[in-house]
Amino acid sequence: MQRQLLYIFIVLLCVSSVHARRVRLYGYVLDEQNRGIEACNVFWKESVSTTAVGTSTNKNGYYDLVVESQKSKDESLEGGDSVTIVYSMLGYETVEMRLLPTRDVLNINIELRESGEQLAEVEVKGIQKQQDMMERVDASTRRVIPDLSGGGIESLLITFSGVSQTNEMSSQYNVRGGSFDENAVYVNGIEIHRPLLVRAGQQEGLSFVNPEMVDNVLFSAGGFDARFGDKASSVLDIRYKQPTAFEASLTVGFQGGSIYMGVGDSMYSQMHGIRYKSSQYMLGSLQTKGNYRPHFLDYQTHMTWRLNKQSDWTLAFLANYSLNSYGFTPDSMSSSFGTMQTARNLTIYYDGQEQDMFQTAFGALSANGHISPEVKIGFDLSGFYTNERETYDIRGEYILSDHPMDGSQASHSDNSQVVSSDAAETVSVLGKGTYHEHARNTLAAGVATLQHTGEWKHDANSMRWGVSGQVEKITDRINEWEWRDSAGYSLPNTEHGMKLFYAMRSDVSIVSGRAQAYIQDSYTWRTEQAKVILTGGARLHWWSFNNEVLVSPRASVVIMPGWKRDVSFRIATGLYYQAPFYKEMRDTLTDEFGITRIHLNDKLKAARTTQLVFGTDYYFRALGRPFKLTAEAYAKYMDRGTSYTVDNVRVRYSGKNDLRGYTIGVDIKLYGELVPGADSWISFSTMRSREQLLDHPELGWLHAPQEQRYQFAMFFQDYLPQLPQLHAHLKFVWAEGLPYGAPRSIELRGKGRMPDYRRIDLGLTHVSNAHNYAYMRKAKHIKQWTIGFEVFNLVDWRNVNSYFWVSDADGYQWASPNYLTGRRYNIKLAIDFQ
């Protein structure tokens, strides 16, 4: 099967690569300060009389132009026609370069001088300078980055410094030691909510953000402004585009596909997108064998109307509906683990099934426009609804035994090990048992929000404000339990009788309201010595459930000195709250029968963190290419928090203010064109994150659940100069494993650490368009088509995401690792229409 996939890709690649002889010209267009000039026109002069062959430079001043030769290979241009290339940009002198190319690939860098004509100020762009705490993200890269979860914007973030992910089946991520719930996501200024019952990456559907609709992406890993809500770790701010002409795309692959269509003009625009994903093929590499039935469907639309030509007032409508279904009938599982001295094998045979459903809907109606040349205001009315159901009855019979290994087997410690016949004779059974897991959980939640935002700009001053009201209604029904039997003895077995190993009940409802407001001001000073941007503001948050009022002041300074070296500095500080939503409030009480019952703690206060971030950017050119080196040091101190545990992607909170902690670290990132015209980056992060349980001070400072003391990530793009339409894309992540402990054991909390998370994903992409092939110029309605071949987990590293715990009759627990996906392959085809 794997060879067949590779053969199919090679055949498609060869068919698309049939072409006449071409001369490829590439390089950079620079100004007199050695900065790249964006949007400079580069074209073949001799082609103007027929069909113009040309291109424009990207944000770094890079261009790539292919001239089709009508002569044969033996009849080169050297003996006949010359080629004249024109470089033209408003505000600069036009340059014409006459060439007699002797090779098929030429690298030409051009410097343009400013013209003497008095024109409006021309903005020269390279790698955009960061003028606040938000980093610009190039969303176009997500189309080529190999990603198992579906190619969302999140696939780019996990290679950024300070951002980590240890489950490739999930789109959730951690930022600087924070939990999944501490990351805020905004689309068009409206905060997005996620389903609440998801407990495993294979249950997750598609990310809310449809990447085909994205226009602009901003991300902050800490120290963000007051205009962003009460989350403690990060902000992802996304703006959808407004097409002005017809555009469409079709994408299909082994994991599903998507259809996108957009159309518009100066008064009206609309976009529609349908996505379908099924990870059944990918889940086949998991250690638990069975019948996986994941089906995820998503529809999204965004429409805008401009009221009249004399005004910029615009109405916008954004809507999303998703239906995610996950079914699973397990068959068996075999896993080997331990060391050479304590090697173990766990084999489980299953009976039963799981069937989950997550149905969400979202809608937002917005109006915004200027009421004066300096003041712009907006109003948003949005609603979110989720209906979630989790049901399973799974019975398993397990055998825990010795598992003799040789040295090579111990180094791998995964479920691919084979025991020889001689070793099998020495295998001894350590325990046999049966367990039964049962759940009938449902949750329904609705959130309605009305907000007003405004912005006033005058000279070097910019002021933003906002106020919102929100109503929430949540109904939660939980009925889940686990029974274990080891060698005929139910666990736990006490002198008063037998109990369930674990049982939880919940039947709660809540209706509450929130009020939020913020104001912030930004002022810019420009002198010969430096450009200084000072931003200060505060947030106000009130929640009716616990009647808590939060005041969150924040401030930042950006300094861009007028030095010869292009360097900038920034510092930010503030008070950041993690306002509880619902999961954080669920406190528990255990009765005399061992049943844990949930009640909502109305005394719970928001987690409070003081943050300090210092960063610097250094912009430079090396080998004629632009680069940006970024470094940030940060410190976070939490004097009030809520402890939690993580199992796969499920976060369970204690429901109490029982925690304090701190996180310090350094993030470094090198971004630039390691290969001309192709963005790549390398990031490294190191951190220390500790917590102290206030109810158990004797335990001292513990490793925080999301502490990863080191992480290295890289995204690299490359191509052959003779075949620039064929690109290779490599994503590499190596991060320390997360802390873990035995379930429901305070004494063993965070005492263990999972193996390092290591993963390499490789993609090959071939692009056919009018720039690369002359025949594509005859395709009026097809802009380009792309064929891609991906290898996920290239080295087939077996990463651990969580542990399955089994017990013997003495109550001793053994941790068997749950491995993530192995090596898998994918072919995808994308067609862009115009």
Side-chain angles (χ1 to χ4, degrees):
M1 177 64 179
Q2 299 171 358
R3 290 185 177 180
Q4 293 174 346
L5 296 179
L6 184 58
Y7 293 157
I8 292 173
F9 176 75
I10 294 175
V11 170
L12 291 173
L13 180 61
C14 293
V15 170
S16 64
S17 299
V18 176
H19 56 81
R21 189 206 174 195
R22 299 168 298 150
V23 177
R24 177 180 172 234
L25 308 173
Y26 72 95
Y28 293 89
V29 179
L30 309 173
D31 65 4
E32 295 173 278
Q33 283 75 43
N34 203 34
R35 298 176 301 178
I37 301 176
E38 184 180 16
C40 176
N41 296 312
V42 184
F43 60 90
W44 180 27
K45 187 175 182 180
E46 286 78 7
S47 69
V48 175
S49 59
T50 55
T51 302
V53 176
T55 185
S56 59
T57 56
N58 67 7
K59 65 181 183 300
N60 298 321
Y62 178 80
Y63 73 94
D64 198 321
L65 178 64
V66 176
V67 178
E68 296 283 353
S69 171
Q70 301 303 320
K71 298 186 178 185
S72 66
K73 186 83 173 178
D74 298 330
E75 190 179 0
S76 69
L77 289 172
E78 183 181 13
D81 298 337
S82 63
V83 176
T84 302
I85 305 300
V86 179
Y87 302 84
S88 175
M89 176 65 183
L90 183 66
Y92 294 86
E93 296 179 358
T94 299
V95 172
E96 295 188 7
M97 176 170 288
R98 187 177 181 182
L99 305 172
L100 291 171
T102 58
R103 299 190 306 272
D104 290 343
V105 180
L106 295 176
N107 181 9
I108 301 175
N109 297 328
I110 292 293
E111 179 181 295
L112 298 186
R113 297 182 178 181
E114 293 186 10
S115 64
E117 301 178 10
Q118 294 294 325
L119 298 174
E121 181 181 353
V122 178
E123 183 180 4
V124 180
K125 297 181 180 179
I127 300 176
Q128 280 195 342
K129 293 186 178 181
Q130 188 170 334
Q131 301 189 31
D132 51 25
M133 301 305 295
M134 304 294 291
E135 179 180 1
R136 275 67 179 170
V137 180
D138 184 2
S140 62
T141 311
R142 61 90 201 162
R143 301 199 72 177
V144 297
I145 190 169
D147 176 49
L148 187 65
S149 63
I153 299 299
E154 296 85 354
S155 63
L156 294 175
L157 298 182
I158 62 174
T159 60
F160 284 19
S161 55
V163 183
S164 65
Q165 183 190 69
T166 55
N167 188 340
E168 64 272 6
M169 293 182 290
S170 170
S171 62
Q172 301 192 54
Y173 51 91
N174 310 106
V175 178
R176 294 177 175 173
S179 74
F180 306 129
D181 299 323
E182 295 179 16
N183 306 312
V185 179
Y186 289 83
V187 174
N188 292 349
I190 301 171
E191 187 171 4
I192 303 302
H193 300 275
R194 302 175 62 97
L196 299 175
L197 282 184
V198 174
R199 58 184 173 83
Q202 54 264 39
Q203 294 176 306
E204 276 196 30
L206 294 151
S207 167
F208 176 90
V209 180
N210 188 326
E212 296 292 342
M213 297 183 174
V214 171
D215 179 42
N216 185 41
V217 181
L218 301 175
F219 177 74
S220 175
F224 41 86
D225 296 342
R227 58 192 172 102
F228 297 109
D230 292 301
K231 298 291 185 180
S233 288
S234 74
V235 167
L236 179 62
D237 186 24
I238 295 174
R239 290 286 172 177
Y240 278 1
K241 58 187 176 182
Q242 298 180 21
T244 57
F246 175 79
E247 59 184 36
S249 66
L250 171 66
T251 304
V252 293
F254 287 172
Q255 296 191 82
S258 65
I259 300 175
Y260 161 77
M261 187 275 291
V263 66
D265 53 30
S266 60
M267 300 295 295
Y268 171 76
S269 72
Q270 62 173 318
M271 295 188 296
H272 303 273
I274 298 177
R275 297 178 292 169
Y276 172 75
K277 173 185 172 183
S278 175
S279 53
Q280 185 174 15
Y281 167 65
M282 303 301 172
L283 296 178
S285 65
L286 297 178
Q287 67 193 96
T288 301
K289 306 304 178 183
N291 180 17
Y292 291 89
R293 302 178 302 278
H295 301 285
F296 310 121
L297 183 66
D298 171 274
Y299 166 74
Q300 196 160 154
T301 183
H302 180 230
M303 294 178 281
T304 65
W305 300 268
R306 186 176 174 182
L307 299 184
N308 57 70
K309 294 183 178 180
Q310 292 73 34
S311 171
D312 69 341
W313 272 91
T314 303
L315 295 178
F317 177 68
L318 173 64
N320 170 270
Y321 174 78
S322 66
L323 179 62
N324 302 327
S325 173
Y326 175 76
F328 177 45
T329 304
D331 180 47
S332 64
M333 186 274 287
S334 180
S335 175
S336 299
F337 55 96
T339 64
M340 294 188 64
Q341 290 75 27
T342 60
R344 300 290 181 262
N345 176 266
L346 176 67
T347 301
I348 305 177
Y349 299 96
Y350 295 101
D351 183 27
Q353 67 174 342
E354 176 178 356
Q355 187 63 52
D356 306 324
M357 186 273 293
F358 305 92
Q359 183 180 20
T360 63
F362 171 83
L365 182 63
S366 304
N368 62 81
H370 282 85
I371 58 175
S372 74
E374 297 178 335
V375 179
K376 183 178 181 179
I377 62 173
F379 300 91
D380 303 289
L381 177 62
S382 62
F384 168 79
Y385 175 77
T386 180
N387 183 19
E388 307 171 29
R389 183 178 70 244
E390 181 184 47
T391 62
Y392 55 82
D393 267 297
I394 297 177
R395 183 174 179 268
E397 297 182 358
Y398 65 85
I399 301 175
L400 181 67
S401 61
D402 285 331
H403 183 62
M405 305 180 189
D406 59 28
S408 62
Q409 291 171 329
S411 64
H412 286 83
S413 260
D414 61 21
N415 63 328
S416 63
Q417 300 157 9
V418 178
V419 181
S420 66
S421 58
D422 294 336
E425 297 178 357
T426 65
V427 171
S428 61
V429 175
L430 300 178
K432 295 182 179 180
T434 302
Y435 73 92
H436 188 169
E437 294 180 341
H438 167 94
R440 295 293 186 271
N441 302 332
T442 62
L443 185 143
V447 180
T449 306
L450 176 64
Q451 73 173 4
H452 158 67
T453 57
E455 183 177 9
W456 171 75
K457 290 184 177 181
H458 180 74
D459 295 334
N461 198 52
S462 175
M463 180 179 292
R464 295 172 181 258
W465 67 88
V467 60
S468 66
Q470 181 171 295
V471 177
E472 306 157 358
K473 182 178 180 179
I474 301 173
T475 301
D476 187 18
R477 305 283 187 268
I478 295 178
N479 181 9
E480 62 182 45
W481 50 262
E482 179 181 353
W483 170 80
R484 292 188 182 184
D485 177 273
S486 180
Y489 294 94
S490 181
L491 298 174
N493 186 3
T494 69
E495 61 181 3
H496 302 292
M498 295 181 296
K499 298 180 181 180
L500 292 173
F501 181 76
Y502 161 75
M504 178 173 287
R505 302 284 189 273
S506 173
D507 186 2
V508 298
S509 296
I510 176 177
V511 178
S512 62
R514 299 178 191 262
Q516 303 181 62
Y518 72 86
I519 185 169
Q520 74 174 45
D521 186 74
S522 180
Y523 192 85
T524 303
W525 288 273
R526 298 176 185 267
T527 66
E528 295 182 357
Q529 290 75 28
K531 176 182 178 181
V532 180
I533 304 173
L534 174 62
T535 302
R539 287 191 65 85
L540 184 68
H541 184 286
W542 171 79
W543 190 25
S544 65
F545 183 76
N546 60 2
N547 201 31
E548 183 182 22
V549 177
L550 308 176
V551 179
S552 176
R554 305 172 190 178
S556 65
V557 179
V558 177
I559 303 175
M560 306 171 70
W563 299 344
K564 184 176 181 180
R565 294 185 180 274
D566 204 347
V567 182
S568 65
F569 304 94
R570 59 184 175 274
I571 185 170
T573 186
L575 194 61
Y576 292 81
Y577 289 93
Q578 178 70 22
F581 180 65
Y582 172 69
K583 292 192 296 183
E584 298 92 331
M585 301 184 300
R586 298 195 298 189
D587 196 358
T588 57
L589 292 174
T590 302
D591 61 22
E592 65 274 15
F593 301 104
I595 298 177
T596 301
R597 300 187 182 276
I598 290 178
H599 74 279
L600 302 183
N601 181 10
D602 59 1
K603 305 299 182 182
L604 182 71
K605 303 299 181 181
R608 182 171 56 204
T609 305
T610 303
Q611 298 188 18
L612 177 64
V613 181
F614 175 78
T616 180
D617 296 328
Y618 174 41
Y619 304 84
F620 63 97
R621 300 188 76 89
L623 303 176
R625 304 164 198 164
F627 289 91
K628 173 186 175 182
L629 178 62
T630 297
E632 282 194 351
Y634 60 90
K636 301 192 291 185
Y637 175 70
M638 178 188 296
D639 66 330
R640 185 179 69 198
T642 300
S643 63
Y644 64 88
T645 58
V646 181
D647 182 15
N648 203 304
V649 298
R650 179 166 63 179
V651 180
R652 280 196 162 168
Y653 296 88
S654 66
K656 307 178 181 68
N657 292 124
D658 58 353
L659 181 75
R660 65 170 179 162
Y662 69 89
T663 302
I664 56 175
V666 176
D667 298 331
I668 301 174
K669 179 181 177 183
L670 176 64
Y671 174 93
E673 297 185 1
L674 299 178
V675 176
D679 291 335
S680 302
W681 55 85
I682 300 172
S683 65
F684 175 77
S685 300
T686 180
M687 64 178 293
R688 176 186 175 95
S689 183
R690 300 299 170 91
E691 64 179 20
Q692 187 176 54
L693 301 178
L694 301 182
D695 295 338
H696 299 274
E698 71 279 3
L699 299 178
W701 289 95
L702 306 174
H703 297 285
Q706 301 293 352
E707 182 194 50
Q708 290 177 296
R709 291 171 293 191
Y710 54 85
Q711 175 179 336
F712 174 83
M714 176 178 67
F715 175 64
F716 176 70
Q717 299 189 81
D718 197 4
Y719 60 86
L720 295 174
Q722 293 77 13
L723 196 63
Q725 59 270 36
L726 178 62
H727 278 238
H729 319 276
L730 185 143
K731 182 174 70 174
F732 175 36
V733 176
W734 188 312
E736 186 185 32
L738 296 172
Y740 75 95
R744 294 174 288 279
S745 173
I746 296 297
E747 292 76 13
L748 298 179
R749 180 183 177 94
K751 295 299 183 181
R753 190 171 285 273
M754 300 179 189
D756 287 3
Y757 181 86
R758 304 170 298 168
R759 186 175 180 88
I760 298 178
D761 296 329
L762 176 66
L764 298 175
T765 303
H766 184 274
V767 180
S768 299
N769 54 31
H771 175 70
N772 298 324
Y773 299 107
Y775 77 89
M776 287 294 296
R777 298 171 193 158
K778 301 178 182 179
K780 296 182 179 180
H781 300 295
I782 298 180
K783 183 179 180 180
Q784 70 177 24
W785 66 279
T786 304
I787 179 71
F789 177 71
E790 298 173 322
V791 184
F792 300 119
N793 199 355
L794 179 67
V795 188
D796 200 23
W797 280 318
R798 306 296 286 180
N799 293 306
V800 177
N801 175 252
S802 59
Y803 288 88
F804 178 79
W805 295 81
V806 295
S807 305
D808 57 22
D810 297 325
Y812 189 83
Q813 297 190 75
W814 300 82
S816 173
N818 294 319
Y819 293 103
L820 292 167
T821 56
R823 185 188 298 119
R824 276 294 188 261
Y825 302 86
N826 184 38
I827 289 181
K828 62 180 181 181
L829 174 68
I831 304 176
D832 294 331
F833 302 91
Q834 59 185 1

